[in-house]
Amino acid sequence: MTISATLRRALLFLLITPIVTLLACTSSEGTQKKSTPPSTGKGVPRMTTYPIGRFAIDVPAEMKLVHQWQRLRYAEIEEFAWPGSVPRAQARDEAWKRRLAEIGKLTPPKGKERVIIETRDFPGVGAWARGVFYYGDYMIAKEIHFDVLFDAGMSGVWMKIHGISKEAMEKNLVNISRSYQPRRFGDLKLPPGNWFYTERGAINLPYLEQETAAARFEGHPLGLEIDIETTETHKVEEAGLIKKTMAAMATGFATGLNIDKIRSRKKTVAGLDGEEEVLRMNDGNKTVLNFAWEYRGRKDSGEYPEIRITMDSADGKLEQKLQVWDAVLNSLKPMYGTGR
């Protein structure tokens, strides 16, 4: 299902764009259409649980995880399965050489003869680990990028960070790498701790700063696409999801776009007081359904980050889709603290 450009801009506006300056144009919440009652729960689909960051969520079993992205303490974490067709040592060597070849194509900053600054091994990190310091931005000579590849057993893990201090970046990545534990699919029973879940593992470190986890699911027979993102916020937005929708309609942003509110209400999920919107949107060419729940978070918090869950599809079979949406939304739960 491809959403037209007009509809996509509207969805991005409602879910991402801060609109504090537009709120004066909105009408009162009492003018909203009556919210649709919750689904009965009959025919709730078979679900699969996915841990994402410090939370877990259920999605229909037919759907596939197409992408998961995470960042912890400034480090981007990328995992992959080792190929079973070649020996592990060969697979590591090939992955390492591919990355060095990519880095080698970059342009060094003015005054620097080469992009790569240093490569070396890191004993005690996984079964094997190697890192490379390099200039990742030819416009900024002071900024250094640092990538580490380590063998976590069941998977390979890349951790990437950039900054100005080699020593600080090395200390940070080594600390994260040594706190990493590989995890089999579906395994949520880890020892008690401060777990941050990645796609193929988990990291036992408490929240510090710069923490994000996001995932996208596709492949449902009803044409559903589901996204979830959790990220710490340094400033809690004043406008919630409901007021964003009202502002879009009141300010003429949605000119030429017909928006029908199916649900528009406060909704507490996993003890978090958020807001839910289910909209039918038509731009004259295509009609789509957009399901969204947003929690604005607490300032600088890992346990209470900003959370957005969305589900999109073409129009049709609304009741079935509401059942899926309710099952997804009501499954959200925190995973921090107990290793549940």
Side-chain angles (χ1 to χ4, degrees):
M1 187 268 300
T2 302
I3 300 176
S4 68
T6 302
L7 292 173
R8 177 63 67 185
R9 285 196 301 271
L11 298 181
L12 289 173
F13 180 88
L14 298 179
L15 295 174
I16 298 175
T17 309
I19 56 165
V20 175
T21 58
L22 301 178
L23 294 182
C25 301
T26 63
S27 56
S28 67
E29 294 186 19
T31 62
Q32 297 175 29
K33 294 184 179 181
K34 185 177 180 180
S35 299
T36 301
S39 302
T40 61
K42 295 180 180 179
V44 172
R46 186 167 56 94
M47 310 289 277
T48 300
T49 301
Y50 289 85
I52 302 165
R54 301 194 187 274
F55 291 81
I57 197 167
D58 294 352
V59 300
E62 303 98 327
M63 302 189 78
K64 301 297 183 184
L65 174 66
V66 295
H67 179 67
Q68 182 166 334
W69 181 86
Q70 48 271 319
R71 178 181 62 190
L72 180 75
R73 300 186 177 191
Y74 296 94
E76 295 184 19
I77 302 162
E78 177 186 336
E79 300 153 298
F80 61 93
W82 294 113
S85 56
V86 298
R88 178 65 57 79
Q90 180 181 339
R92 293 191 304 237
D93 187 58
E94 290 175 352
W96 176 253
K97 287 181 178 178
R98 282 194 300 271
R99 183 62 184 134
L100 288 188
E102 293 172 359
I103 294 172
K105 296 177 182 178
L106 300 175
T107 302
K110 185 177 180 180
K112 305 296 181 182
E113 295 183 359
R114 46 183 290 178
V115 171
I116 294 178
I117 301 170
E118 178 187 1
T119 64
R120 56 192 175 89
D121 295 336
F122 290 90
V125 176
W128 173 97
R130 186 170 293 169
V132 53
F133 293 95
Y134 63 99
Y135 297 109
D137 188 337
Y138 75 95
M139 297 291 290
I140 309 176
K142 292 183 178 181
E143 185 176 81
I144 300 170
H145 289 238
F146 181 36
D147 295 2
V148 171
L149 170 64
F150 72 94
D151 184 349
M154 292 185 291
S155 59
V157 183
W158 279 105
M159 293 195 179
K160 305 177 182 181
I161 196 170
H162 57 87
I164 58 175
S165 170
K166 290 173 59 178
E167 293 74 16
M169 290 189 294
E170 178 179 337
K171 182 179 179 180
N172 189 21
L173 283 201
V174 169
N175 183 40
I176 296 173
S177 301
R178 289 176 175 168
S179 302
Y180 178 94
Q181 178 174 316
R183 178 179 55 82
R184 296 184 184 279
F185 179 78
D187 182 8
L188 306 179
K189 297 180 180 179
L190 296 175
N194 295 290
W195 295 102
F196 178 93
Y197 285 80
T198 60
E199 181 179 353
R200 296 173 175 272
I203 299 167
N204 190 8
L205 287 173
Y207 169 80
L208 182 63
E209 56 186 336
Q210 288 293 321
E211 200 171 282
T212 300
R216 181 173 180 82
F217 302 88
E218 297 177 355
H220 194 276
L222 293 175
L224 306 176
E225 299 174 351
I226 297 174
D227 291 271
I228 176 173
E229 179 179 358
T230 70
T231 184
E232 94 285 7
T233 179
H234 302 303
K235 182 180 180 181
V236 179
E237 285 189 38
E238 295 181 23
L241 188 59
I242 293 172
K243 287 189 175 181
K244 290 177 185 177
T245 304
M246 294 168 62
M249 298 172 72
T251 60
F253 175 85
T255 299
L257 186 68
N258 181 44
I259 300 177
D260 178 25
K261 290 186 179 182
I262 298 168
R263 287 183 184 172
S264 183
R265 63 185 183 179
K266 307 285 187 179
K267 183 173 178 61
T268 300
V269 176
L272 306 174
D273 296 330
E275 296 182 350
E276 177 190 20
E277 291 263 17
V278 179
L279 308 174
R280 180 181 283 112
M281 308 172 70
N282 180 277
D283 64 355
N285 297 309
K286 182 171 294 185
T287 303
V288 301
L289 295 171
N290 174 247
F291 306 73
W293 179 82
E294 181 184 70
Y295 170 68
R296 284 178 282 172
R298 298 181 185 176
K299 183 179 178 181
D300 299 322
S301 173
E303 296 185 357
Y304 299 92
E306 184 177 291
I307 304 174
R308 292 190 182 97
I309 304 172
T310 62
M311 186 174 84
D312 298 300
S313 78
D315 196 11
K317 299 184 179 180
L318 176 60
E319 287 305 314
Q320 289 178 255
K321 293 173 182 178
L322 283 172
Q323 289 177 349
V324 173
W325 172 246
D326 287 339
V328 170
L329 201 58
N330 293 329
S331 73
L332 184 71
K333 63 180 179 180
M335 297 294 288
Y336 46 78
T338 63
R340 286 167 290 183

